[in-house]
Amino acid sequence: MKTRVCIIGGGPSGLLLSQLLDRRGIASVVLERQSRDYVLGRIRAGVLEQGFARLLREAGCGARMDREGEVHDGFTIAHDGRLSRIDLARHAGGQGVVIYGQTELTRDLYEARDRMGGTVIHDVEDVQPLGLTTPTPHVTFRKGDEITRIDCDFIVGADGFHGVSRRAIPKDILVEHERIYPFGWLGVLSRTPPVAPELIYARHPRGFALCSLRSQVLSRYYIQVPLSDRVEDWSDAAFWAELKRRLPEEVAAKLQTGPAIEKSIAPLRSFVAEPMRHGSLFLAGDAAHIVPPTGARGLNSAGSDIHYLYHALCDHYEKADDAGLANYSARALARVWKAQRFSWWMTTLLHDFPDASSYERRLQETELDYLLGSDSARAALAENYTGLPY
Ligand code: APR
Ligand code: PHB
């Protein structure tokens, strides 16, 4: 097989890039290890910054998001039994965020690829990016008994944190930075009306909690749990009881509970691999960086990578201008690190750190006190939460 851009990974990053490129007449092939049903069964986050929403529209995939997604102009921080609203729209030039599940967005991207006749090959095994620093970059993969080679100009590693692409960069070139947090998030999806119209991030001595939503009939809740907890240890009743304990009374009283449609524990991790380019290989999204979910930056950081890479590839093919490709890693990483900083900050602000000293705890309280008392501190939060410019 032959194509211009071979994309490893059919998550949101890989699909969005192939969709954008196709609309400019640049051919690509997407290789995905899992089946489409498996990819669409994963429950992920649901907060899109306006820049990401614009990119989806540019890809011709924004119609359902614009119809069914909710624009949120703010969210609430719950602490010490009180509620403090962060007015995103006021602080961030009228911009809120769009609440639209990543699962739905991925479905829209797959449907768009189908409509345009895009090639997405599922259930591939032993994917290998090869010849990265030679004039003949190529990818080999196995499907069943058959081994296929795809010759291409560029390889994009959009295969998530556990993918193969990052590992194809030699160890003496790749630098990995990591922080593991001493807790995870236990998440529950339930077919119940959300407890509040906007998201509530709750700081509590028993641990962090988040009330989120997918729609007016579908809610998503999380509580901070120790890394040693297993999801089997948490009955639905125990989850709801613990969530209520961490919310101010007026919120807990309104919480409508129901059976969990999905329940899972995700550890919290910050991770960046750099550089994001090696020869003909370009990393994008979770393949290169992970954030804890507290600042809702994961998918949005993948979006800015795709924006830079898409424009760099267009410049290469349409103007024979390779400056964007040469600068991709540095430009993408500059924004990625700002999202890392913000996610670390918001995680540190709102969680209970079991080993924190009394000094660190007092600083954490002071950070929150400063934030809620300062218009400019709230503006900085809003600027980062709604997305720094590309
Ligand atoms: N070969 C082919 N595909 C692979 C391989 C491989 N060796 N390894 C992983 N994949 C596939 C995974 O099955 C997955 O569908 O790559 C895809 C990567 O998708 P994601 O993990 O969703 O990563 P990405 O597309 O970068 O999405 C951005 O932002 O909010 C966060 O984690 C959230 O998924 C989200 C991410
Ligand atoms: C979610 O709805 O899953 C969600 C929302 C906001 C976050 C993290 C997760 O910060």
Side-chain angles (χ1 to χ4, degrees):
M1 280 174 91
K2 204 170 162 45
T3 192
R4 281 178 157 177
V5 184
C6 183
I7 301 173
I8 306 175
S13 299
L15 294 170
L16 178 58
L17 181 64
S18 91
Q19 178 65 11
L20 286 163
L21 291 176
D22 202 355
R23 287 166 67 91
R24 298 284 275 261
I26 301 168
S28 68
V29 169
V30 175
L31 300 176
E32 168 57 51
R33 183 167 61 178
Q34 306 286 357
S35 68
R36 185 185 289 206
D37 282 348
Y38 182 94
V39 174
L40 291 176
R42 294 194 291 230
I43 306 294
R44 296 271 175 89
V47 177
L48 308 183
E49 59 190 29
Q50 295 292 349
F52 193 97
R54 273 196 297 277
L55 206 54
L56 272 184
R57 290 184 201 111
E58 196 177 337
C61 296
R64 196 158 70 94
M65 170 193 71
D66 284 330
R67 244 185 359 258
E68 297 176 14
E70 291 182 17
V71 174
H72 282 201
D73 285 340
F75 66 79
T76 294
I77 295 181
H79 58 100
D80 305 312
R82 285 181 292 137
L83 297 169
S84 305
R85 184 165 185 271
I86 305 294
D87 189 335
L88 296 173
R90 179 166 78 84
H91 288 300
Q95 292 217 351
V97 289
V98 181
I99 303 298
Y100 189 62
Q102 184 177 320
T103 311
E104 300 309 314
L105 177 160
T106 309
R107 184 184 303 281
D108 297 345
L109 286 165
Y110 270 118
E111 284 173 7
R113 294 317 296 127
D114 289 348
R115 277 199 302 279
M116 291 185 73
T119 307
V120 182
I121 308 176
H122 282 277
D123 305 307
V124 297
E125 293 175 87
D126 303 336
V127 175
Q128 290 188 56
L130 296 164
L132 304 180
T133 52
T134 72
T136 54
H138 59 282
V139 177
T140 59
F141 68 91
R142 186 169 61 75
K143 182 157 172 153
D145 293 334
E146 200 177 327
I147 292 177
T148 304
R149 167 177 168 141
I150 304 184
D151 288 293
C152 53
D153 302 333
F154 301 105
I155 301 168
V156 174
D159 47 355
F161 183 64
H162 299 287
V164 289
S165 302
R166 188 176 67 248
R167 279 177 268 147
I169 301 181
K171 280 199 163 53
D172 57 335
I173 293 176
L174 192 74
V175 180
E176 298 187 335
H177 311 272
E178 184 170 55
R179 170 176 293 230
I180 310 254
Y181 298 83
F183 39 73
W185 278 16
L186 167 62
V188 159
L189 187 70
S190 73
R191 216 170 289 292
T192 49
V195 68
E198 294 178 344
L199 273 61
I200 302 175
Y201 290 83
R203 179 177 178 276
H204 192 276
R206 296 182 65 90
F208 170 78
L210 170 60
C211 306
S212 181
L213 60 137
R214 292 288 174 275
S215 72
Q216 287 312 309
V217 291
L218 198 57
S219 299
R220 181 72 165 156
Y221 296 102
Y222 299 95
I223 55 173
Q224 172 187 347
V225 292
L227 279 176
S228 51
D229 277 19
R230 289 172 317 153
V231 72
E232 303 79 55
D233 302 336
W234 282 92
S235 66
D236 290 2
F239 175 84
W240 293 120
E242 185 57 31
L243 175 62
K244 279 186 182 173
R245 273 188 212 116
R246 298 183 188 186
L247 298 173
E249 252 167 54
E250 57 182 295
V251 180
K254 283 194 223 138
L255 184 73
Q256 288 196 37
T257 63
I261 309 173
E262 194 262 4
K263 197 193 288 166
S264 53
I265 295 183
L268 266 65
R269 183 199 299 267
S270 297
F271 174 86
V272 183
E274 48 191 9
M276 286 172 62
R277 174 197 187 167
H278 178 63
S280 312
L281 172 70
F282 294 79
L283 300 180
D286 276 21
H289 43 81
I290 300 278
V291 283
T294 326
R297 295 298 81 205
L299 180 59
N300 293 306
S301 294
S304 61
D305 293 351
I306 297 305
H307 165 90
Y308 294 129
L309 192 50
Y310 162 55
H311 286 286
L313 288 166
C314 288
D315 288 351
H316 170 82
Y317 286 112
E318 294 169 1
K319 301 183 205 155
D321 174 358
D322 283 347
L325 290 174
N327 295 334
Y328 168 71
S329 179
R331 286 181 77 190
L333 282 165
R335 192 173 189 276
V336 158
W337 274 109
K338 292 187 184 102
Q340 291 282 330
R341 184 205 69 81
F342 175 67
S343 304
W344 159 81
W345 173 80
M346 202 157 153
T347 301
T348 307
L349 178 74
L350 296 174
H351 287 74
D352 180 66
F353 286 74
D355 295 332
S357 64
S358 67
Y359 181 83
E360 286 162 330
R361 286 177 194 279
R362 292 289 288 122
L363 269 190
Q364 191 190 28
E365 285 165 18
T366 306
E367 183 78 36
L368 187 64
D369 191 30
Y370 169 62
L371 171 72
L372 299 176
S374 157
D375 223 37
S376 26
R378 283 199 306 273
L381 165 56
E383 182 186 32
N384 283 276
Y385 192 88
T386 55
L388 295 172
Y390 286 174

